[in-house]
Amino acid sequence: MQIATIVIPNYNGLQYLGPCLESLMRQSRQDFSVILIDNGSQDASVEFVEKHFPEVTVCQFERNEGFCRAVNEGIRQSRTPYVILLNNDTVCGETFVEELVRAMEMPRNAAAAQTFSCAAKMVQMSDPDRMDNAGDYYCALGWAYAYGKGKPAVRYDREREIFACCAAAAIYRRAVFDEIGLFDETHFAYLEDTDVAYRARIAGYRNYYAPKAVVWHVGSATSGSLYNEFKIRYSSRNSVYLVYKNMPWPQIILNFPFLLAGFLIKMLFFARKGYLREYVRGLGAGGALCRPDKKVVFQWKNLKHYGRIQIELWVNLFRRLL
């Protein structure tokens, strides 16, 4: 019986697919399947995989449908207890799958079923001694950020609870998607992993960092650079949508001074980078998404979870600043 399905979204990632898939063929446990969801690539990615990795199931879209649509298709096709999302520009350590499954099945305080997801230790491909991501945090400024980015990798070997997993290399409990829904395709790309983790947190689930599951990550392989118009526009748009969707109105009012400060700081930052127009346009587009039918329905049974989240938003603010 297979334990996991690995879903790899791909868009013109031919140069990365060989090393990525080869690393999966060398895993210490092999009770998993691999699905490649291709977003209309024009670089012969599909032909390469079909020729060199026939054991990989390929699903091909005619055009780029975005990260969320791609991974959702993979999740829908999966029939295993766990789904692992993996970027195409990664190379996995030999115990990557084994350690992610172990982290999911580890009992923590109560039943292991309270765990929704676990994030791998992502180090930089260009400098393996430096971290790329040790779990994602979300704070009262409306910022999501990668913990440990650019720091010495040896400092991030402790397993701990995090706010969200970076979906570039993370494992998810398949059954929880049936309860909270799949990745929100309105996002297209960026902050979709924070959003799905936020919804899981509202429902009472937890997310953890699993440092023994190691991947080497190139980063920005699809978007092309750290800062570009596409990335800034969608990130700013989705940051507004994320707040509106997941926070009840009293929580939005409570956090409004922090959120206003956060958006103004980002505005000044991108103005200095020469991207002010794209950032502001993104904010406007995000406001247009804020419709009542998109909002997570508040339920009194989840009040204690909202309280825990709010405390974390404040704690993560200081963690980010420090």
Side-chain angles (χ1 to χ4, degrees), residues 57-175:
T57 300
V58 177
C59 175
Q60 188 175 17
F61 294 156
E62 293 184 359
R63 60 184 181 183
N64 188 355
E65 301 286 356
F67 177 88
C68 298
R69 172 75 189 283
V71 297
N72 282 349
E73 181 61 29
I75 294 169
R76 291 188 187 100
Q77 292 188 24
S78 68
R79 297 294 183 268
T80 51
Y82 304 118
V83 175
I84 296 174
L85 302 187
L86 185 66
N87 274 17
N88 58 4
D89 61 338
T90 57
V91 172
C92 305
E94 291 186 1
T95 60
F96 170 73
V97 173
E98 179 180 351
E99 290 296 341
L100 284 181
V101 172
R102 183 199 62 80
M104 289 295 291
E105 296 181 343
M106 178 184 296
R108 298 181 176 90
N109 299 327
Q114 286 189 327
T115 302
F116 170 53
S117 65
C118 289
K121 178 179 181 179
M122 299 172 62
V123 297
Q124 297 178 15
M125 187 79 75
S126 59
D127 185 358
D129 292 329
R130 296 284 172 180
M131 287 298 303
D132 185 63
N133 188 293
D136 286 346
Y137 288 99
Y138 186 65
C139 71
L141 293 172
W143 298 354
Y145 59 93
Y147 190 60
K149 192 173 185 68
K151 303 295 183 181
V154 294
R155 297 181 185 176
Y156 297 88
D157 288 334
R158 182 176 62 85
E159 199 165 86
R160 67 181 184 284
E161 187 173 355
I162 55 179
F163 191 91
C165 295
C166 175
I171 187 170
Y172 297 84
R173 192 177 301 275
R174 175 67 178 80

Side-chain angles (χ1 to χ4, degrees), residues 190 219-232 275:
Y190 303 117
S220 300
T222 298
S223 63
S225 61
L226 183 60
Y227 301 117
N228 56 70
E229 292 182 359
F230 174 86
K231 187 173 184 178
I232 292 168
Y275 291 110

Side-chain angles (χ1 to χ4, degrees), residues 205-216:
Y205 294 95
R206 306 289 179 84
N207 306 295
Y208 294 90
Y209 169 60
K212 292 183 179 180
V214 181
V215 297
W216 291 263

Side-chain angles (χ1 to χ4, degrees), residues 213-251:
V214 181
V215 297
W216 291 263
H217 185 219
V218 174
S220 300
T222 298
S223 63
S225 61
L226 183 60
Y227 301 117
N228 56 70
E229 292 182 359
F230 174 86
K231 187 173 184 178
I232 292 168
R233 183 171 67 252
Y234 274 91
S235 294
S236 62
R237 184 195 77 152
N238 293 344
S239 64
V240 174
Y241 179 51
L242 179 69
V243 170
Y244 172 82
K245 177 182 176 181
N246 292 288
M247 289 188 186
W249 281 110
Q251 191 176 25

Side-chain angles (χ1 to χ4, degrees), residues 36 41 58 89 95 106 112 122 128 138 148 156 183 218 248 253 256 260-261 273 298 317:
L36 181 88
S41 296
V58 177
D89 61 338
T95 60
M106 178 184 296
M122 299 172 62
Y138 186 65
Y156 297 88
F183 285 81
V218 174
I253 294 171
F256 184 77
L260 180 61
K273 295 286 184 181
F298 175 81
L317 168 59

Side-chain angles (χ1 to χ4, degrees), residues 184 187 191-200 242 245-246:
D184 186 345
H187 282 87
L191 294 178
E192 73 290 324
D193 43 12
T194 303
D195 171 71
V196 77
Y198 205 132
R199 285 184 277 133
L242 179 69
K245 177 182 176 181
N246 292 288

